[in-house]
Each structure stands twice: as C-alpha cells, then as structure tokens.
C-alpha cells in the first residue's frame, strides 16, 4: 500500500470516528502503551533447552512438524527479534524455566538460578523488551505420576517446591535487572484421568506447597506472582487440583494475581466477563490469550468474537496497571514466527477496537436504558474503519502493514529458517 493511500484513508477514518466522539490519535497513543508478553514456547513447540529432555507432558500438546524450529537459545532469540520487528510497539517476552542456558550440563529443575538466564537478561536489555517467567512443572520424570506441588510423595513435592522457589528468585532477578516487574505464572499440571477419592488431601498439599513457595516476599517492583487454574488436561480429564475456585480463593487471600486463560473454561463461559468479577478481590490478573477450538487446543489467536469481547473489556475496565496481557498458544503446523506475528497483531487489533469504541455514546445509551440504541451502536462500531487506523499505526511504527506481513515472513523463512537443516 502506498504511504499516500495509508494517510488519506487514515484522515477519512479519523473524521468518521470523530462523528462518534472518538479521537483516533488518542487511541493510537494508548495502544502504543499496552505491552503484550510474547511466549517463548511458540518458538519451539514448548521444547526448551535442557540437556536431558522428556517428551511434553502435563496434559498439553503441540501438533505439527513445520520446518525451521529454533533449536538453540540463539536461534530462538533471532526468531523472537524477527517477530518483534513486525509487531508495533514495545513488548515483553515470557520465558519458561526449561529455556535456561545450561552450557551442556545437566542442571535439574531444583538447581536452576539467575546465572542460567543472564544471556536472556542481556538480550532483553539490548532489545528493550521486559521479561516474564514461568516455572516448568511438566516434561520431567518427577511429574510423570501426574502430581507435583500436590504430590503425596514428599520427595517429589519437595523437589517442585524448590523449583518454584528458584523460579521466583530468577523472576525477581529479571525484574530487578530490567527495572520492570516480572510476572511469574505458577501453573502445575496436577490432576488425574479418573476421579480420585481424596480431593481434599491433594488441595491441602497444593495450598501448603504454595504457601511455602510464597513465604519469601519480593518487592512488587520486581516480581508479581500469579496462579493459573484450569478445567482439565489431556489425561487429567476427571480431576484438576488447581481448579478455578481453588486459585481464586488462594489469590484473593494471599493478595496475588490470578491468571485467566481463554482455553481453560467450559466452552460457553465468557472469559471477558471474568475480568471485572475478579479485579475487586485480587491485585491484578494475567491474561493467557489463546484460542481453543473444541477444547483447550491452544490455537493461534485470531480476531474472533472472544478476543474482541476480551479486549473491549480490558479497555472498558481501564485498570491497565492491573491487567497483564500474555499470549499462550502453540502451533507447530505453520511458520512459528508467523504464528507469533498473527496472534500478537490480532490481539492488538482487538485492543484497538476497544480503544476506538464510541464510549461516550454507549454509556449514554446504557444510562438511559435505551437498549435499542446501545445494540445499534455496538453493531455500527463493528464496521467503522478500524483497518485504516491499524494500517496507519503500523506504517508510523515502521512495521509491515497488513498487506506486507506475508512477504516479510516468507523472506525470513527463505533466508533464515530454510537454512536450519
Ligand atoms: C497449560 C497452561 C500453561 C501452559 C504454559 C506452557 O494449560 O495454559 O499456561 O500453556 O505454561
Ligand atoms: Zn495458560
């Protein structure tokens, strides 16, 4: 698209939105300030860089064998840089503990420390991205029985408590080094295929373990803890120890964040509606933006109704400092950098829709209970020229506009990914 057309279209769009009382320039300024945390694990199908690797487990699954997967931290960083170069704005990168740099040595999960992540911190500093973190409680012999922090085997439980404590120390170090709090997500796969009898015992042990893990306090300027519940996993269909009720209660009483993953609820539940429900009780939420297709399948995020509703809510509640946006999907069937790009840009488009919503007019209709006007305004908002505003934003931020993303990802595939034999 010619620069001239981009600017002309934007000028018209700005006028159109002004009719609805919406300032497109202000919307773009706000969009630029919303960081999204790209998840390292889309880059290599949740593989990681440990010396002895176990197959992916814990009820999550990646399908696909698209060529060019990152095999080393250096390759993953190059790929992430390419992704960042096609995404407007300044963002974050979320690492899993299994992505440390262990120098060819076997460093078990209960022995990791900030020293294994100095390469990542240096890279983050150089690329001006902030880091987030996750302990890795799956793909390990000691999680094979299905229980980690809630394990009835004390040796196993203690191993994972140590892992979680060390993960927090790593996250705090990242936050301190980079001058922005690292959000650490605590997710454990604990559960079972069939119904256990002693559910209470499992939950009591999980609670105990978490309390021990969180006993050390870190400044919220360095580290923000979040706990992620879910409904079920593959092979853990009947029972998940860390259910939503468990973690919501836990987060509210311990004053930590709660993670809402879009794939972790019954398919007819609307995750967007949960934000304003939980925020009065917890210091913040971490969103795991994902797209479940028929189940918690972790498909690449697209601008579907769920994402639009979620993003509208993020903007409407307006508590930007308490809502952390992270991505959580993994697709190995397509170009993995393209997947990052589409998923992130689609989330940003959703946020842009939110920022361009004719708020004043909608609130007026809300206030006088004019249901028809509200319904019609919401419908009209869907076909206002947001695309022209998005193109202008991409162009201004020196990243590909929509028409230019495909050739750029193809170029990277030819020049870099194809050379990874
Ligand atoms: C699993 C959770 C969790 C993981 C990542 C890899 O169901 O969503 O967030 O996807 O930690
Ligand atoms: Zn998740």
């Amino acid at each position: 698209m010619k620069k001239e057309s981009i600017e002309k279209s934007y000028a018209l769009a700005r006028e159109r939105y002004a009719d609805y009382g919406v300032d497109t320039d202000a919307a773009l300024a706000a969009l630029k300030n919303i960081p999204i945390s790209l998840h390292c694990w889309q880059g290599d199908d949740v593989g990681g860089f440990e010396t002895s690797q176990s197959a992916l487990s814990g009820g999550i699954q990646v399908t696909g064998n698209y060529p060019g997967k990152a095999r080393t931290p250096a390759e993953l960083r190059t790929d992430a840089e390419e992704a960042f170069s096609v995404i407007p704005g300044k963002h974050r990168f979320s690492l899993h503990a299994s992505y440390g740099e262990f120098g060819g040595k076997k460093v078990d999960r209960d022995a990791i420390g900030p020293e294994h992540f100095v390469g990542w911190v240096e890279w983050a500093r150089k690329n001006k991205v902030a880091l987030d973190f996750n302990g890795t409680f799956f793909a390990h012999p000691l999680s094979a029985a299905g229980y980690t922090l809630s394990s009835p085997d004390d040796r196993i439980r203690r191993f994972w408590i140590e892992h979680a404590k060390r993960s927090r120390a790593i996250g705090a170090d990242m936050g301190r080094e980079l001058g922005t709090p690292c959000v650490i997500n605590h997710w454990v796969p604990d559960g079972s295929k069939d119904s256990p009898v002693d559910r209470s015992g499992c939950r009591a042990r999980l609670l105990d373990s978490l309390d021990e893990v969180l006993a050390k306090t870190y400044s919220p300027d360095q580290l923000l803890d979040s706990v992620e519940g879910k409904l079920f996993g593959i092979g853990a269909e009947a029972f998940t120890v860390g259910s939503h009720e468990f973690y919501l209660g836990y987060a509210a009483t311990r004053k930590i964040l709660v993670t809402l993953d879009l794939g972790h609820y019954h398919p007819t539940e609307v995750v967007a509606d949960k934000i304003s429900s939980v925020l009065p009780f917890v210091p913040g939420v971490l969103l795991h933006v994902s797209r479940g297709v028929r189940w918690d399948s972790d498909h690449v995020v697209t601008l579907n109704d769920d994402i639009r509703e979620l993003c509208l809510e993020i903007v409407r509640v307006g508590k930007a400092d308490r809502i952390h946006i992270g991505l959580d999907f993994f697709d190995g069937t397509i170009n993995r950098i393209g997947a990052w790009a589409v998923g992130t840009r689609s989330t940003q488009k959703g946020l842009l829709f939110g920022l361009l919503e004719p708020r004043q007019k909608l609130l007026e209709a809300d206030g006088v209970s004019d249901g028809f006007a509200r319904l019609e305004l919401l419908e009209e908002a869907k076909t206002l020229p947001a695309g022209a505003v998005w193109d202008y934003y991409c162009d201004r931020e020196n990243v590909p506009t929509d028409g230019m993303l495909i050739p750029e990802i193809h170029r990277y595939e030819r020049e870099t990914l194809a050379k990874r034999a």
Side-chain angles (χ1 to χ4, degrees):
M1 212 187 324
K2 279 189 298 189
K3 198 167 190 80
E4 203 194 314
S5 322
I6 294 173
E7 279 165 7
K8 259 196 224 155
S9 304
Y10 178 66
L12 291 172
R14 182 207 261 146
E15 257 180 56
R16 188 84 185 98
Y17 275 105
D19 293 342
Y20 284 87
V22 175
D23 179 344
T24 54
D25 293 323
L28 289 184
L31 184 60
K32 205 179 155 151
N33 280 327
I34 308 181
I36 295 181
S37 193
L38 272 71
H39 51 319
C40 72
W41 54 96
Q42 165 55 42
D44 73 334
D45 309 345
V46 207
F49 303 120
E50 289 170 313
T51 328
S52 48
Q53 295 200 341
S54 305
L56 186 57
S57 67
I60 55 177
Q61 239 172 45
V62 190
T63 47
N65 199 14
Y66 199 81
K69 172 163 84 174
R71 296 159 302 181
T72 61
E75 287 182 352
L76 187 61
R77 293 202 263 261
T78 309
D79 290 355
E81 283 169 32
E82 170 65 13
F84 283 124
S85 79
V86 298
I87 295 165
K90 275 280 150 240
H91 300 288
R92 310 177 62 90
F93 199 61
S94 183
L95 285 166
H96 243 283
S98 51
Y99 286 71
E101 294 179 85
F102 306 110
K105 285 199 224 53
K106 163 129 180 103
V107 179
D108 213 343
R109 304 259 174 96
D110 64 344
I112 56 168
E115 64 274 21
H116 302 117
F117 291 86
V118 287
W120 282 111
V121 171
E122 265 167 39
W123 172 80
R125 192 177 285 124
K126 190 167 140 240
N127 287 276
K128 297 194 170 56
V129 299
L131 293 177
D132 294 314
F133 203 65
N134 305 258
T136 311
F137 295 84
F138 49 82
H140 189 280
L142 289 185
S143 67
Y147 294 90
T148 62
L149 290 180
S150 71
S151 176
D153 179 333
D154 211 48
R155 187 180 69 98
I156 294 179
R157 196 171 73 92
R158 298 240 55 93
F159 175 88
W160 292 111
I161 290 174
E162 187 59 28
H163 175 63
K165 286 183 178 171
R166 285 168 177 261
S167 294
R168 291 184 77 227
I170 294 166
D173 185 71
M174 289 172 169
R176 193 180 316 115
E177 287 291 328
L178 298 170
T180 151
C182 167
V183 180
I184 183 167
N185 184 47
H186 302 285
W187 172 68
V188 297
D190 299 30
S192 65
K193 180 182 174 88
D194 235 322
S195 301
V197 175
D198 187 18
R199 292 171 188 256
S200 308
C202 288
R203 292 187 168 129
R205 285 190 296 274
L206 178 56
L207 189 137
D208 231 54
S209 299
L210 287 170
D211 277 350
E212 185 174 338
V213 168
L214 296 178
K216 183 171 169 114
T217 46
Y218 291 98
S219 155
D221 297 333
Q222 291 169 12
L223 189 72
L224 296 170
D225 291 280
S226 193
V227 281
E228 179 180 23
K230 70 190 287 190
L231 191 58
F232 79 98
I234 296 186
E237 289 84 356
F239 176 55
T240 290
V241 186
S243 60
H244 299 302
E245 292 75 8
F246 178 89
Y247 279 131
L248 191 55
Y250 190 80
T253 50
R254 271 59 176 179
K255 305 208 173 353
I256 60 172
L257 283 64
V258 72
T259 303
L260 308 175
D261 182 312
L262 268 80
H264 286 193
Y265 297 84
H266 289 281
T268 58
E269 278 183 77
V270 178
V271 178
D273 183 53
K274 300 180 189 297
I275 298 177
S276 61
S277 305
V278 304
L279 271 184
F281 306 105
V282 292
V285 297
L286 168 62
L287 298 170
H288 266 188
V289 184
S290 193
R291 174 168 57 107
V293 176
R294 302 191 190 282
W295 68 289
D296 180 23
S297 62
D298 290 296
H299 276 65
V300 179
V301 166
T302 57
L303 187 55
N304 61 12
D305 286 350
D306 293 338
I307 297 302
R308 287 172 52 115
E309 288 299 324
L310 182 81
C311 291
L312 288 174
E313 266 305 296
I314 293 173
V315 175
R316 286 172 184 164
V317 303
K319 305 231 173 353
D321 54 324
R322 293 172 58 202
I323 303 177
H324 306 266
I325 307 173
L327 305 175
D328 186 11
F329 51 79
F330 16 103
D331 190 339
T333 66
I334 61 174
N335 182 304
R336 295 174 182 80
I337 296 92
W340 261 327
V342 172
T344 314
R345 287 167 61 111
S346 295
T347 306
Q348 291 182 296
K349 287 177 187 172
L351 292 166
L352 181 59
F353 263 109
L355 292 162
L356 292 172
E357 187 172 66
R359 184 97 21 84
Q360 216 38 54
K361 283 185 185 293
L362 278 164
L363 286 174
E364 278 160 27
D366 234 5
V368 296
S369 300
D370 187 346
F372 152 69
R374 186 180 56 199
L375 192 65
E376 171 60 13
L377 274 169
L378 287 169
E379 286 305 286
E380 290 180 20
K382 289 179 185 167
T383 50
L384 288 175
V389 181
W390 169 254
D391 284 332
Y392 175 78
Y393 179 56
C394 288
D395 186 63
R396 201 184 70 183
E397 296 298 311
N398 285 314
V399 304
T401 51
D402 274 8
M404 301 309 292
L405 182 65
I406 297 172
E408 170 52 23
I409 295 295
H410 283 166
R411 180 200 63 76
Y412 186 75
E413 178 157 335
R414 263 191 327 269
E415 291 175 12
T416 304
L417 300 184
K419 299 200 172 114
R420 294 178 191 164

